[in-house]
Amino acid sequence: MSSDNPDPVKTICPYCGVGCGITVQPGEEPSDVRFMPWGDAPVNEGRVCIKGGAATEVVDHEDRLTNPLIKEDGEFRDASWEEAYEYVVDELARIRDEHGPDAMGFYGSSKVMNEENYLLQKLTRRYGTNNVDNCTRMCHASTVWALRTSLGAGAMTNSMEDLRDEADVFWIQGANPGEQHPIANSQYFRQAVLDGATVIQVDPHANKTTRSFKIDDTDRHQHLQLNPGTDIPLLNVVIKTALENDWIDEAFIEERTEGFEHLERSLRDFDKAAAAEECGVPLEEIELAAEKYATADNAAIFTGMGMSQHRCGVDNVQNEINLALITGNVGRPGTGVNPLRGQNNVQGTCDVGAMPNVLPGYQLVDDDAARERVEQVWGFEVPDEPGLTNVELSHEFGESVKGLYVMGENPVMSEPDANRVAERIQQLEFIVAQDIFMTETAKYADVVLPATSWAERGGTVTNTDRRVQRMRGVGKVHENTKHDLEIVSEIGKRLFDDGEALFDFEDPEAVFEELRQVCPIYHGMTYDLLGEEGLHWPCYEPGDEGDLFLYEDEFDTESGLGHIEGVRHQPPAETPDEEYPLILTTARLEEHYNTGTMSTRSPTLNRQTPENFVDVNPADAERYGIEDSDEVTLKSRRGEITVEAQVTEDIKEGVVWTTPHFAAASANRLTNDVLDERAKIPEYKAAAAEIEVSIDANTAADD
Ligand SMILES: Nc1nc2c(c(=O)[nH]1)N[C@H]1C(S)=C(S)[C@@H](COP(=O)(O)OP(=O)(O)OC[C@H]3O[C@@H](n4cnc5c(=O)[nH]c(N)nc54)[C@H](O)[C@@H]3O)O[C@H]1N2
Ligand SMILES: Nc1nc2c(c(=O)[nH]1)N[C@H]1C(S)=C(S)[C@@H](COP(=O)(O)OP(=O)(O)OC[C@H]3O[C@@H](n4cnc5c(=O)[nH]c(N)nc54)[C@H](O)[C@@H]3O)O[C@H]1N2
Ligand code: SF4
Ligand SMILES: [Mo]
């Protein structure tokens, strides 16, 4: 085995969207890769959280996929790349010929680089369908929808840097940066609080974010512990309080927004006291928080999964936009509406067009002029109808959808109502899984393609504040694995008559050069210009520095105005009843990462909390006869899991809180797959549930 590049390389942490720089140090053997700090890395200046420090632990894990696999009589056997490619290409061609191109679904990956996702979505479109999506659908799809339609771009309006330096109030709703974006929290947000800023956290659960801001005994941290799914009424109380007290910015509303009258009208008969009661938070507390936000010089909103993952996800985020716009808190440093993006490259995966309704740079597939611009560069026709989103795709498995190509996702665990996903995926005629590990999804595949990991190859990724950065690899650890780029390119070359012309690229930089031509917000970037600091988009021409914050003069909407629109409360699709009297919500811990394919294999991460658990409020525990550490069965209308109970005040009474991280007892066996109508994001954050002490753990345990 040989390593392409024996020198230490500066690259980007493969876990979350903060985009911390780290150094990877190869050892004597290519497999001895080690983590080292990158002292003056642009985002984190050398600091990392527990995941960044442990990132190299999984690179040479014994479970890595090392050879292509083909399933025969229900068992996998090793295959050559030649055989695997041939099988994949024949089956993709067969499905297109027999059922048409829309019978295939392609999942891009927020764990892989811009160039690789760019190529996968190009392959999807050349195949003749727009059925390509990525985990943003389960993540910030609703946020992106609301931001795009009401402000202009589906990304953070501001950057960590200006937020740290200028924000006086951090309004953090449904996000837990203390655990999910730890370096953003410790190095940027907490720093601002040490310098005097105030934090308002809106979350049913107390967590490391809560604890990280309890800095002294001042009242600069306020936690509004609301019932899941009551964010719209809570924000309506805040907005009405701001209106009543004239804490709004009339000049800003007049000059830069539209729709204010609609919002005002929608709240005319709104009953604040009744709403506060529904939220489960005292009215005075919400009013106090409203005063802090609306009277601050610069107030910034941070929004996460607690807002986006509801069937009213778009409206949830729209109401945050409403609050920001009426108080004039957009378009300046230290303000804005800021989704902390999830995976290391979810922002980039969306930017490069791995979504069913947009081409690279968020150009709509049904916009003729945009499509024609891209077609000119590509040299083939792009279908003009938006494709299916990934949860819609899985709802169609075995129906209109017959085949699936999954690059770096694990839908059998990550999608809601996972028992049903596992049933439906078996109805497909052909599945390819391209991953670094044998996932719960890959187990159902006909062909498994082994990819190199993040530490082994180069490319670019885009972090949560739109900074495009280069990743650099130390070379292959396992000889017979291949870079995602090479795999997709080889399949493209073999599958289409014009494949050689469309998919032949010398290296990731050559792909980036093509990407720039079709993606206006990246047009001004080159590998050389990205250098070690990276560049923020939008970066239209070489030499542009990119923008730290957006919308200084106007919004990127058709009218140039920010769009305000009153929204009404829509309770979760399932609310507690006699049979299922609790509300289940799901999220994650710092040492856990999504479906656990990497984090459960990392000794440092896995030893912290190696099994799933459920947080239960002491009052509920007493009602159900549950003691701390009891094994309990948690049930919803869709399934059950057996986990250990943690009896804690951290969770609100009437609510139970667990995680999707472990295959054997994943929250997604319980979650509801109802979708937001527009963004198609599932309601992971609220389902009706019941809990009981397990009678026999062994019989209740999962298969
Ligand atoms: N350590 C670690 N870091 C990660 C990840 C990981 O798995 N592990 N995943 C990455 C990814 S893909 C993403 S998208 C981000 C996610 O990061 P976040 O956006 O922070 O997402 P969650 O932790 O799922 O949920 C945030 C909070 O929402 C709260 N919540 C639940 N229901 C509601 C509700 O109805 N209303 C409100 N207001 N709050 C609610 C939860 O209690 C939780 O504290 O993190 C990224 N970073
Ligand atoms: N109940 C509940 N469910 C949720 C959520 C929740 O809050 N609650 N959150 C949702 C969110 S925010 C998200 S983002 C989704 C995540 O859903 P997924 O994206 O399906 O989950 P991951 O575990 O991140 O899967 C990433 C896959 O990429 C693989 N991989 C890593 N590196 C590479 C590489 O270099 N090449 C290739 N080919 N593969 C690679 C990993 O091994 C892993 O299998 O889950 C969603 N599911
Ligand atoms: S904050 Fe995110 S990017 Fe930074 S080290 Fe931790 S997991 Fe990696
Ligand atoms: Mo995510």
Side-chain angles (χ1 to χ4, degrees):
M1 274 189 248
S2 72
S3 160
D4 302 338
N5 182 352
D7 297 326
V9 295
K10 289 175 175 170
T11 190
I12 305 300
C13 169
Y15 282 107
C16 89
V18 176
C20 296
I22 60 178
T23 303
V24 174
Q25 169 80 60
E28 296 264 298
E29 291 294 313
S31 54
D32 296 337
V33 293
R34 274 187 300 119
F35 160 83
M36 294 220 310
W38 168 3
D40 52 359
V43 173
N44 53 313
E45 291 165 1
R47 272 161 257 171
V48 289
C49 76
I50 187 171
K51 290 183 299 305
T56 51
E57 285 180 5
V58 296
V59 171
D60 188 36
H61 194 279
E62 57 182 4
D63 294 349
R64 277 287 300 276
L65 293 166
T66 51
N67 282 309
L69 303 172
I70 287 181
K71 197 177 272 166
E72 234 171 47
D73 303 326
E75 299 283 325
F76 284 117
R77 63 161 173 86
D78 282 347
S80 68
W81 277 99
E82 195 50 40
E83 194 186 359
Y85 281 142
E86 222 168 273
Y87 188 17
V88 172
V89 168
D90 286 352
E91 280 297 289
L92 291 182
R94 181 189 64 77
I95 287 176
R96 188 187 47 198
D97 294 345
E98 285 181 16
H99 308 288
D102 291 334
M104 268 305 294
F106 295 83
Y107 286 7
S109 173
S110 303
K111 285 244 110 26
V112 318
M113 300 175 201
N114 288 325
E115 294 76 3
E116 296 156 343
N117 280 297
Y118 170 76
L119 221 54
L120 185 80
Q121 62 81 36
K122 184 178 174 187
L123 182 136
T124 306
R125 275 136 184 169
R126 176 63 189 85
Y127 189 76
T129 179
N130 281 312
N131 286 347
V132 59
D133 208 358
N134 74 86
C135 73
T136 191
R137 189 64 46 199
M138 305 178 270
C139 186
H140 266 303
S142 43
T143 319
V144 168
W145 183 288
L147 288 173
R148 202 162 46 75
T149 48
S150 294
L151 301 181
M156 278 176 76
T157 56
N158 288 60
S159 61
M160 291 182 268
E161 219 172 301
D162 73 75
L163 291 161
R164 175 194 58 202
D165 297 341
E166 303 291 340
D168 303 303
V169 169
F170 287 74
W171 183 284
I172 303 177
Q173 188 153 2
N176 177 13
E179 304 195 58
Q180 312 314 328
H181 301 87
I183 293 296
N185 199 63
S186 61
Q187 198 155 320
Y188 291 82
F189 312 154
R190 192 167 183 278
Q191 186 55 49
V193 176
L194 288 172
D195 294 341
T198 294
V199 178
I200 292 143
Q201 186 190 6
V202 188
D203 198 307
H205 195 232
N207 48 36
K208 285 190 189 164
T209 300
T210 324
R211 296 184 251 284
S212 75
F213 291 120
K214 288 211 169 115
I215 289 169
D216 51 32
D217 51 9
T218 66
D219 65 352
R220 283 195 285 115
H221 173 267
Q222 207 188 336
H223 183 189
L224 307 181
Q225 209 167 359
L226 82 177
N227 289 318
T230 61
D231 294 273
I232 290 175
L234 187 133
L235 281 170
N236 279 341
V237 174
V238 174
I239 291 169
K240 184 147 187 176
T241 306
L243 294 172
E244 285 167 351
N245 290 282
D246 215 8
W247 293 327
I248 57 176
D249 184 338
E250 276 166 19
F252 189 91
I253 294 171
E254 176 66 31
E255 285 158 31
R256 303 222 28 207
T257 71
E258 61 191 13
F260 177 66
E261 309 69 33
H262 180 269
L263 174 68
E264 249 190 334
R265 233 184 3 258
S266 74
L267 292 176
R268 210 161 282 159
D269 302 321
F270 178 73
D271 180 345
K272 289 203 309 182
E277 181 148 349
E278 176 150 25
C279 299
V281 183
L283 179 58
E284 318 74 69
E285 270 193 48
I286 310 178
E287 287 174 333
L288 178 65
E291 181 174 0
K292 289 179 186 164
Y293 175 91
T295 61
D297 287 342
N298 295 321
I301 293 174
F302 295 81
T303 188
M305 299 299 99
M307 295 297 275
S308 63
Q309 293 173 335
H310 283 284
R311 69 172 174 147
C312 56
V314 173
D315 282 342
N316 274 345
V317 178
Q318 178 61 47
N319 226 14
E320 297 181 303
I321 294 171
N322 291 339
L323 175 62
L325 287 175
I326 64 166
T327 55
N329 276 309
V330 194
R332 277 180 292 117
T335 65
V337 179
N338 296 287
L340 295 163
R341 299 306 302 265
Q343 305 245 35
N344 58 331
N345 196 33
V346 64
Q347 183 67 56
T349 303
C350 299
D351 297 347
V352 303
M355 289 204 288
N357 60 333
V358 294
L359 295 164
Y362 302 97
Q363 306 176 88
L364 297 171
V365 292
D366 47 9
D367 172 343
D368 294 344
R371 211 177 48 254
E372 279 159 24
R373 274 197 305 273
V374 176
E375 285 172 345
Q376 286 236 317
V377 177
W378 286 353
F380 61 85
E381 224 170 275
V382 175
D384 59 4
E385 290 265 313
L388 294 176
T389 63
N390 56 6
V391 183
E392 285 178 314
L393 273 172
S394 88
H395 284 171
E396 284 294 315
F397 285 170
E399 304 289 332
S400 69
V401 175
K402 308 291 185 191
L404 183 67
Y405 193 117
V406 188
M407 171 174 80
E409 288 215 351
N410 190 9
V412 169
M413 266 187 77
S414 56
E415 290 195 7
D417 195 4
N419 292 337
R420 238 53 68 210
V421 180
E423 276 168 30
R424 283 196 304 265
I425 202 169
Q426 298 178 56
Q427 310 305 313
L428 290 172
E429 293 175 9
F430 184 66
I431 305 168
V432 187
Q434 178 173 321
D435 208 292
I436 59 174
F437 291 114
M438 178 58 74
T439 62
E440 298 304 301
T441 305
K443 286 179 188 160
Y444 293 104
D446 299 285
V447 184
V448 177
L449 303 176
T452 53
S453 74
W454 62 278
E456 299 165 64
R457 62 186 201 269
T460 60
V461 287
T462 309
N463 83 343
T464 185
D465 61 5
R466 296 170 278 104
R467 190 193 289 258
V468 182
Q469 303 189 90
R470 286 186 63 184
M471 290 188 74
R472 297 172 182 84
V474 295
K476 281 187 193 177
V477 167
H478 296 289
E479 201 74 68
N480 206 28
T481 55
K482 288 191 191 295
H483 304 329
D484 288 292
L485 195 72
E486 186 184 342
I487 302 173
V488 177
S489 142
E490 193 57 37
I491 291 171
K493 283 197 262 183
R494 291 167 184 238
L495 183 56
F496 309 113
D497 304 341
D498 49 1
E500 280 291 340
L502 297 179
F503 293 96
D504 189 23
F505 293 93
E506 201 178 322
D507 53 21
E509 187 173 6
V511 179
F512 193 84
E513 282 299 311
E514 184 178 298
L515 165 66
R516 293 176 56 208
Q517 305 312 318
V518 291
C519 183
I521 51 178
Y522 282 43
H523 185 249
M525 301 178 190
T526 65
Y527 270 28
D528 278 350
L529 289 170
L530 289 175
E532 288 201 348
E533 292 285 308
L535 282 167
H536 294 271
W537 65 255
C539 179
Y540 296 111
E541 293 302 331
D544 281 3
E545 285 296 307
D547 292 338
L548 278 183
F549 66 96
L550 305 176
Y551 318 126
E552 183 163 16
D553 302 313
E554 61 172 4
F555 292 98
D556 211 356
T557 53
E558 230 158 77
S559 60
L561 300 173
H563 180 70
I564 296 172
E565 187 178 319
V567 292
R568 290 196 182 283
H569 181 34
Q570 301 149 60
E574 278 187 356
T575 45
D577 56 21
E578 244 172 57
E579 209 181 341
Y580 295 98
L582 296 163
I583 310 176
L584 164 73
T585 192
T586 64
R588 13 155 96 71
L589 294 184
E590 180 169 7
E591 61 272 22
H592 291 168
Y593 198 85
N594 287 1
T595 68
T597 59
M598 291 160 72
S599 41
T600 57
R601 291 185 171 92
S602 163
T604 305
L605 300 182
N606 197 46
R607 70 172 154 259
Q608 318 279 328
T609 312
E611 283 176 7
N612 205 4
F613 62 91
V614 58
D615 277 0
V616 185
N617 181 275
D620 293 321
E622 199 181 319
R623 192 167 314 129
Y624 297 102
I626 297 168
E627 306 266 341
D628 192 46
S629 306
D630 271 357
E631 195 172 86
V632 294
T633 304
L634 194 57
K635 294 184 188 170
S636 79
R637 291 194 169 80
R638 290 154 294 279
E640 58 182 66
I641 58 175
T642 302
V643 288
E644 191 178 295
Q646 286 186 179
V647 178
T648 167
E649 297 278 358
D650 281 353
I651 191 66
K652 197 172 176 64
E653 186 177 346
V655 185
V656 283
W657 189 104
T658 188
T659 88
H661 183 252
F662 299 95
S666 167
N668 280 332
R669 292 169 188 254
L670 313 178
T671 47
N672 191 352
D673 66 355
V674 60
L675 304 179
D676 178 289
E677 226 172 73
R678 286 168 287 180
K680 314 288 182 189
I681 191 169
E683 190 154 70
Y684 291 115
K685 292 290 193 259
E690 74 154 334
I691 192 168
E692 57 192 39
V693 178
S694 303
I695 301 162
D696 179 344
N698 295 325
T699 52
D702 271 295
D703 51 25

